[in-house]
Amino acid sequence: MPKRPIKLAPSILASDFTRLGQQVTEAEAAGADRIHVDVMDGHFVPNISIGVPIVKSLRPVTKLPLETHLMIENPDLFLEAFATAGSNTLIVHWEDNANLHRTVHEIRRLGLKAGVAINPATPANVLTEILPDLDLVLVMTVNPGWGGQRFIESTVPKIAQVRQMIDDRGLPCELEIDGGVDAATAPRGVEVGADVLVAGSSIFNAKESVAAAMQRLSKSVS
């Protein structure tokens, strides 16, 4: 495995919302590096999830960075609201964003880290122009919209390609993967260059505790 540190970003999409604060606290105590918040609007993806109030309610619960993944149409309309609520990073999608440069720089203006996500069918080369402006690239390893999907193996070469793009330009940009990430699939992503793992079902839907599930995932890539 690579010597670079691998970061874990538990996704609350798979959490038990009756115990959300408790599970986030458990994840933090177990060594999570950040909390991943999936926001879906039922338009950009075929599902509706959570929004600004959840981010606001989590902010006093954890000291960890809150990474908000906006799977929504017209994300520009909500950037300031999520920033005010306590997000530390905002991730927007390349798809269906005609003014990505403007969106990324607005996130930066708000004092947040900026990330761009690409879907499984989107080629890596769409990132060429925007990459120097990013703190993070998120390669989706499932089609966004639902938790609990199986890791799409054909995304592995694209993860490697994005890693090469980042390294060739000497950029400090993180490379994150999201979708079907568990102890069996995480090593595939890490081997080709991922350094941040978003995991929901394998952490919060595991039969074991959150701490044990995170330990299992961490051990798989150590």
Side-chain angles (χ1 to χ4, degrees):
M1 289 291 174
K3 294 182 180 179
R4 63 180 179 276
I6 304 302
K7 300 175 182 178
L8 301 184
S11 169
I12 64 168
L13 183 64
S15 67
D16 177 353
F17 274 77
T18 65
R19 300 190 300 120
L20 178 57
Q22 178 185 340
Q23 290 196 322
V24 166
T25 299
E26 290 173 3
E28 180 173 5
D33 296 283
R34 63 192 69 172
I35 299 298
H36 190 86
V37 182
D38 287 305
V39 178
M40 307 178 191
D41 65 357
H43 298 285
F44 183 75
V45 293
N47 193 12
I48 298 174
S49 61
I50 56 183
V52 171
I54 293 295
V55 173
K56 186 176 181 179
S57 69
L58 284 178
R59 187 63 285 166
V61 171
T62 178
K63 295 179 180 179
L64 293 177
L66 296 178
E67 175 180 270
T68 305
H69 180 187
L70 299 177
M71 291 171 274
I72 61 177
E73 293 183 351
N74 300 316
D76 289 18
L77 300 177
F78 301 95
L79 301 179
E80 188 167 0
F82 278 106
T84 301
S87 295
N88 301 98
T89 301
L90 292 179
I91 303 170
V92 296
H93 272 258
W94 177 88
E95 298 83 8
D96 200 30
N97 191 323
N99 297 290
L100 187 60
H101 183 270
R102 183 177 65 192
T103 301
V104 165
H105 280 268
E106 177 62 14
I107 294 171
R108 286 283 185 82
R109 187 193 70 79
L110 291 167
L112 278 62
K113 291 185 176 181
V116 166
I118 54 175
N119 287 339
T122 301
N125 60 15
V126 301
L127 298 168
T128 300
E129 298 299 330
I130 198 66
L131 194 58
D133 298 311
L134 301 181
D135 298 290
L136 178 148
V137 171
L138 172 56
V139 175
M140 294 299 300
T141 46
V142 299
N143 289 296
W146 305 97
Q149 298 183 64
R150 293 183 64 180
F151 183 91
I152 299 175
E153 189 68 23
S154 61
T155 61
V156 171
K158 182 164 63 178
I159 299 168
Q161 186 179 353
V162 176
R163 175 83 270 158
Q164 193 66 50
M165 292 169 67
I166 293 170
D167 291 348
D168 284 349
R169 298 163 87 169
L171 299 172
C173 184
E174 293 181 313
L175 176 50
E176 184 174 79
I177 60 173
D178 179 4
V181 175
D182 57 25
T185 60
R188 297 286 293 119
V190 170
E191 285 170 2
V192 295
D195 46 29
V196 185
L197 305 175
V198 177
S201 297
S202 64
I203 290 177
F204 293 115
N205 284 347
K207 294 180 180 179
E208 54 200 351
S209 67
V210 169
M214 285 188 57
Q215 183 178 22
R216 180 187 298 275
L217 181 60
S218 182
K219 186 176 180 180
S220 75
V221 294
S222 62

